[in-house]
């Protein structure tokens, strides 16, 4: 364990499987290896702080504390059972107490086989590490101090060589005491506020002969994305038009406002303002009650004045909250964070709408639409299940990709919905809104369960001693609701889940889909003598789970590749903005010829070199790659020479990009100083 820890440079875990073993490690046949058979008797102190940077693991002292007298393991506090690290369990300390002195010395030699970590007899332990119990401070802080190595290093820009060359040598970058290198790395040690940190220096030097470009370039598309066969007209230097349009639509919906003269809404509800209805408001007569909640409801987008973030407000009309004990359930819902659940942020009562109302605040997902509107808004889809007159023949049976959804899409929905239910049921709660009208779809296949926690408040019974007693029954109802949703998707019709059409719907599923999907629906809709769990459907999902995981990761690769196309655009835009403020400023220092003299004249000619070149025939020459390349060279200040020609073609100036960068920076600093009144 210690050997793996000291040789890890890229993983915050103590068990780094990719770490190399030391050459001085004793073979399994040696006497020292017998102690590793008793390794279960050791306990590890859980005083390690996780590091947010992926290349600087650090540990709080002590890593281990072994008593020098009785050779038993000792730890300052009990292990954390929720920690992700492997904690050896089982076995008692009596096994270690029976070991011989020779075995212990052999173990210590193998444990501290690093050149800077000699055996205890040699007194060569790392300063700050001891084999005597109680040598480390008990007042170690519970949070990472701001002076620790990791936060200081997070402020530095990583060297690109770190990710391209192996760790062969490094130079200490702090004032801490460094240890002699071993296995191509340096073990850094630093004590801050009584806490000792051990980490490896991840700043290797470049290999001999390795050269990096000194200005930014656009690399080609990654091969694992290029071979996905994207669209033929996909842009090469900018993100896909489909993704760009989707993001723009989300931004428009997030920033949308309403004219309150046409549709009056409160100016402010609690700490929320700028309300925008997300669905048609119910009429004043209140006859249209929600089919799910049994109350008149309405939904708004609003901005919280506390954090200026948009949220979705679900209002329950005319509800008076008489018991606040249900807030314990709301607090439990607020702790659930899941990628397929719309998170509940808070619940409050309000009279801002002119009556008693109960308001639930959820995360706002712009551009989301319900499963009802996505898949069940076609009235003709129910024609297969409608009753026909006597003597009239049924139409053709719907097929996949010709009226029915593809099975891969249904399984993608099943995986996401079952994952949401698993998290909810594990927390001891029940969803109770597994309905197509309360399932949001964002993008192509991303699902989120919406409206959680509302039923828990509306149906809360204060007369019950244990309000959680009915949760198992509600969880069983969730599984039945999931089966109805899957059956409706398989039939592409809500009419298929009616009791009279169940047999016909199952026949349609049998004809068009696999037996696994049929068995899944039957299991969810059939009454069982025992309590079922959402985990029971995992064998039916089977390897399709890996298919969905692979599809999600491939989608992530495509989006990251589109992001990489835009990564330099902000830098180039700032460069053009500065260049635009410099050129053609006759009002600066009341000098009409300001752009025609000195450094400004070179920048003006460079502007013409960028945008105003013409061909031999005198027609405009437009080349985006030329503009991007020249701007990148200017930003980096490369020593490459460039010929700048005046508009009358009487003057030719040969300068380097480094000269242009110097002129550019000096001139812009003059403008900034003038804007601040310093000139």
């Amino acid at each position: 364990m210690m050997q793996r820890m000291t040789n890890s440079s890229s993983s915050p875990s103590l068990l780094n499987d990719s770490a190399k073993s030391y050459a001085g490690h004793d073979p399994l046949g040696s006497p020292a290896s017998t102690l590793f058979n008793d390794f279960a008797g050791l306990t590890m102190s859980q005083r390690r702080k996780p590091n947010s940077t992926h290349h600087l693991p650090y540990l709080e002292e002590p890593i281990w504390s072994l008593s020098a007298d009785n050779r038993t393991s000792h730890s300052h506090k009990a292990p954390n059972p929720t920690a992700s690290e492997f904690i050896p369990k089982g076995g008692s300390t009596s096994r270690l107490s029976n070991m011989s002195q020779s075995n212990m010395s052999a173990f210590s030699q193998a444990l501290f086989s690093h050149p800077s970590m000699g055996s205890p007899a040699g007194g060569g332990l790392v300063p700050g590490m001891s084999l005597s119990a109680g040598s480390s401070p008990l007042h170690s802080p519970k949070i990472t101090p701001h002076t620790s190595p990791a936060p200081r290093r997070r402020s530095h820009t990583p060297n690109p060589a770190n990710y391209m060359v192996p760790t062969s040598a490094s130079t200490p970058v702090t004032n801490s005491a460094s240890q002699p290198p071993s296995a191509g790395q340096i073990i850094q040690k630093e004590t801050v506020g009584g806490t000792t940190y051990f980490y490896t220096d991840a700043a290797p030097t470049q290999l001999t002969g390795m050269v990096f470009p000194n200005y930014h370039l656009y690399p080609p598309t990654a091969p694992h994305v290029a071979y996905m066969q994207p669209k033929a007209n996909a842009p090469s230097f900018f993100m896909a038009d489909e993704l760009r349009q989707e993001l723009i639509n989300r931004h428009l919906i997030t920033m949308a406002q309403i004219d309150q003269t046409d549709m009056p809404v409160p100016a402010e509800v609690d700490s929320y303002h700028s309300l925008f209805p997300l669905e048609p408001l119910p009429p004043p007569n209140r006859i249209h009650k929600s089919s799910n909640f049994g109350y008149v409801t309405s939904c708004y987008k609003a901005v919280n004045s506390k954090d200026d973030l948009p949220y979705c407000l679900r209002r329950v009309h005319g509800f008076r909250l008489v018991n606040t004990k249900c807030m314990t359930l709301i607090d439990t819902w607020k702790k659930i964070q899941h990628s397929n659940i719309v998170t509940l942020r808070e619940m409050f009562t309000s009279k801002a709408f002119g009556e008693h109302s109960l308001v639930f605040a959820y995360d706002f997902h712009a551009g989301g639409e319900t499963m009802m509107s996505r898949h069940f808004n076609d009235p003709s889809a129910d024609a297969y299940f409608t009753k026909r007159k006597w003597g009239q023949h049924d139409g053709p049976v719907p097929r996949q990709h010709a009226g029915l959804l593809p099975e891969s899409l249904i399984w993608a929905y099943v995986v996401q919905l079952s994952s949401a239910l698993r998290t909810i049921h594990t927390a001891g709660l029940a969803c109770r809104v597994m309905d197509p009208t309360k399932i949001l779809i964002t993008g192509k296949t991303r699902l989120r369960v919406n409206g959680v926690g509302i039923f828990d408040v509306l149906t809360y019974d204060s007369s019950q001693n244990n309000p959680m007693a009915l949760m198992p029954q509600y969880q069983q109802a969730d599984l039945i609701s999931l089966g109805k949703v899957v059956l409706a998707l398989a039939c592409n019709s809500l009419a298929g889940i009616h009791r009279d059409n169940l047999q016909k719907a199952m026949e349609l599923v049998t004809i068009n889909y696999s037996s696994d999907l049929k068995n899944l629906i039957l299991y969810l809709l059939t009454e069982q003598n025992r309590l079922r769990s959402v985990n029971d459907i995992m064998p039916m999902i089977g390897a399709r789970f890996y298919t969905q995981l692979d599809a999600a990761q491939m989608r992530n690769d495509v989006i990251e590749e589109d992001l990489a196309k835009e990564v330099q655009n902000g830098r180039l835009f700032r460069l053009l903005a500065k260049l635009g403020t410099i050129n053609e400023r006759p009002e600066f220092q009341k000098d009409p010829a300001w752009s025609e003299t000195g450094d400004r004249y070179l920048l003006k000619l460079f502007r013409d070199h960028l945008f105003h070149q013409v061909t031999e025939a005198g027609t405009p020459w437009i080349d985006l790659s030329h503009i991007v390349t020249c701007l990148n060279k200017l930003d980096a200040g490369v020593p490459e020479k460039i010929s700048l020609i005046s508009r009358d073609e009487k003057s030719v100036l040969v300068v380097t990009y480094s000269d242009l960068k110097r002129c550019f920076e000096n001139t812009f600093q003059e403008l900034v100083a003038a804007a601040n009144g310093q000139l």
Side-chain angles (χ1 to χ4, degrees), residues 15-16 29 56 67 90 126 150 179 232 272 284 317 325 344 379 411 477 485 512 524 572 646 651 659 679:
L15 286 177
N16 181 15
L56 283 175
S67 175
V126 174
Q179 306 301 328
Y272 296 88
H317 297 228
K325 292 183 178 180
L344 174 63
W411 282 114
V485 171
N512 289 278
L524 294 174
L572 295 180
S646 61
S651 301
D659 297 332
L679 291 181

Coordinates of all heavy atoms in Angstrom, one line a residue, residues 15-16 29 56 67 90 126 150 179 232 272 284 317 325 344 379 411 477 485 512 524 572 646 651 659 679:
L15 N -5.2 3.4 -3.8 CA -5.0 2.2 -4.5 C -4.9 2.6 -6.0 O -5.9 2.6 -6.7 CB -6.1 1.2 -4.2 CG -6.1 0.6 -2.9 CD1 -7.3 -0.3 -2.7 CD2 -4.8 -0.3 -2.7
N16 N -3.8 2.9 -6.5 CA -3.6 3.3 -7.9 C -3.1 2.1 -8.6 O -2.0 1.7 -8.5 CB -2.7 4.5 -8.0 CG -2.5 4.9 -9.4 OD1 -3.3 4.5 -10.3 ND2 -1.4 5.7 -9.7
G29 N 7.9 -15.0 -2.0 CA 8.5 -16.1 -1.2 C 9.4 -15.6 -0.1 O 9.8 -16.5 0.7
L56 N -2.5 15.7 -8.1 CA -1.8 16.1 -6.8 C -2.4 15.4 -5.7 O -3.2 16.0 -4.9 CB -1.8 17.6 -6.6 CG -0.8 18.4 -7.4 CD1 -1.0 19.8 -7.2 CD2 0.6 18.0 -7.1
S67 N 2.2 1.2 16.8 CA 2.8 1.3 18.1 C 4.1 0.5 18.0 O 4.2 -0.6 17.6 CB 1.9 0.7 19.1 OG 2.5 0.6 20.4
G90 N -11.8 -6.9 8.8 CA -11.6 -8.3 9.3 C -10.3 -8.5 9.9 O -9.3 -7.8 9.7
V126 N 10.9 9.3 6.7 CA 10.7 10.6 6.2 C 10.4 11.5 7.4 O 9.6 11.1 8.3 CB 9.4 10.6 5.2 CG1 9.0 12.0 4.8 CG2 9.8 9.8 4.0
A150 N -2.3 21.9 -2.9 CA -3.2 21.8 -4.1 C -3.8 23.1 -4.5 O -3.8 23.5 -5.6 CB -4.3 20.8 -3.7
Q179 N 12.3 15.0 -1.5 CA 13.0 13.8 -1.3 C 13.7 13.4 -2.5 O 13.4 13.8 -3.6 CB 12.0 12.7 -0.9 CG 11.1 13.1 0.3 CD 11.9 13.4 1.6 OE1 13.0 12.8 1.8 NE2 11.5 14.3 2.4
A232 N -22.2 15.2 -43.9 CA -21.2 15.7 -44.9 C -21.0 17.2 -44.9 O -19.9 17.7 -45.2 CB -21.7 15.2 -46.3
Y272 N -39.0 35.6 -5.9 CA -39.0 35.3 -7.3 C -39.7 36.5 -8.1 O -40.7 37.0 -7.6 CB -39.6 34.0 -7.7 CG -38.9 32.8 -7.1 CD1 -39.3 32.4 -5.8 CD2 -37.9 32.1 -7.7 CE1 -38.6 31.3 -5.2 CE2 -37.3 31.0 -7.2 CZ -37.6 30.6 -5.9 OH -37.0 29.5 -5.4
P284 N -60.5 31.4 -15.1 CA -60.9 31.8 -13.8 C -61.9 30.9 -13.1 O -62.0 30.8 -11.9 CB -61.4 33.2 -14.0 CG -60.9 33.7 -15.3 CD -60.7 32.5 -16.1
H317 N -53.2 25.9 -6.9 CA -54.2 26.9 -6.6 C -55.0 26.5 -5.4 O -55.4 25.4 -5.2 CB -55.1 27.2 -7.8 CG -54.3 27.7 -9.0 ND1 -54.7 28.8 -9.8 CD2 -53.2 27.3 -9.6 CE1 -53.9 29.0 -10.8 NE2 -52.9 28.1 -10.7
K325 N -45.4 19.7 9.3 CA -44.6 18.5 9.5 C -44.1 17.9 8.2 O -43.2 17.1 8.2 CB -45.4 17.5 10.4 CG -45.7 17.9 11.8 CD -46.4 16.8 12.6 CE -46.6 17.2 14.0 NZ -47.3 16.2 14.8
L344 N -36.0 19.5 -6.7 CA -36.8 20.4 -5.9 C -35.9 21.2 -5.0 O -35.1 20.7 -4.2 CB -37.8 19.6 -5.1 CG -38.7 20.4 -4.1 CD1 -39.6 21.3 -4.8 CD2 -39.5 19.4 -3.2
P379 N -53.5 12.0 -32.7 CA -54.7 11.3 -32.4 C -54.9 10.1 -33.3 O -55.5 9.1 -32.9 CB -55.8 12.3 -32.7 CG -55.2 13.7 -32.6 CD -53.8 13.4 -33.1
W411 N -35.7 1.3 -24.7 CA -34.8 0.9 -23.7 C -34.0 2.0 -23.1 O -33.6 2.0 -21.9 CB -33.8 -0.2 -24.3 CG -34.4 -1.5 -24.4 CD1 -34.7 -2.2 -25.5 CD2 -34.8 -2.4 -23.3 NE1 -35.3 -3.4 -25.2 CE2 -35.4 -3.6 -23.9 CE3 -34.8 -2.3 -21.9 CZ2 -35.8 -4.6 -23.1 CZ3 -35.3 -3.3 -21.1 CH2 -35.8 -4.5 -21.7
A477 N -46.6 1.1 -6.4 CA -47.4 1.8 -7.4 C -46.5 2.5 -8.5 O -46.9 2.6 -9.6 CB -48.3 2.9 -6.7
V485 N -46.1 3.3 -18.5 CA -45.4 4.2 -19.4 C -44.7 3.4 -20.5 O -44.7 3.8 -21.7 CB -44.4 5.1 -18.6 CG1 -43.5 5.9 -19.5 CG2 -45.2 6.0 -17.7
N512 N -43.7 -7.1 -32.4 CA -42.7 -6.1 -32.8 C -41.5 -6.0 -32.0 O -40.5 -5.5 -32.5 CB -43.4 -4.7 -32.9 CG -44.4 -4.6 -34.0 OD1 -44.1 -4.3 -35.1 ND2 -45.7 -4.8 -33.6
L524 N -43.8 -5.7 -14.5 CA -44.2 -4.5 -13.9 C -45.7 -4.3 -13.7 O -46.2 -3.7 -12.7 CB -43.7 -3.3 -14.7 CG -42.2 -3.1 -14.7 CD1 -41.8 -1.9 -15.7 CD2 -41.6 -2.8 -13.3
L572 N -9.6 35.0 -29.9 CA -9.5 35.7 -31.2 C -10.4 36.9 -31.2 O -10.1 38.0 -31.7 CB -9.7 34.8 -32.4 CG -8.7 33.7 -32.6 CD1 -9.1 32.8 -33.8 CD2 -7.3 34.2 -32.8
S646 N 1.6 49.6 -48.2 CA 0.6 50.7 -48.1 C -0.4 50.6 -49.2 O -0.2 49.9 -50.2 CB 1.4 52.0 -48.1 OG 2.0 52.2 -49.4
S651 N 5.0 52.1 -50.4 CA 5.8 51.8 -49.2 C 5.6 50.3 -48.9 O 4.5 49.8 -48.9 CB 5.4 52.6 -48.0 OG 5.6 54.0 -48.3
D659 N 7.4 42.1 -33.6 CA 7.4 43.6 -33.6 C 6.0 44.1 -33.6 O 5.6 45.1 -32.9 CB 8.1 44.1 -34.8 CG 9.6 43.7 -34.8 OD1 10.2 43.6 -33.7 OD2 10.2 43.6 -35.9
L679 N -3.5 60.1 -19.0 CA -2.7 60.9 -20.0 C -3.3 62.3 -20.1 O -4.5 62.5 -19.9 CB -2.8 60.1 -21.3 CG -2.1 58.8 -21.4 CD1 -2.2 58.2 -22.8 CD2 -0.6 59.0 -21.0

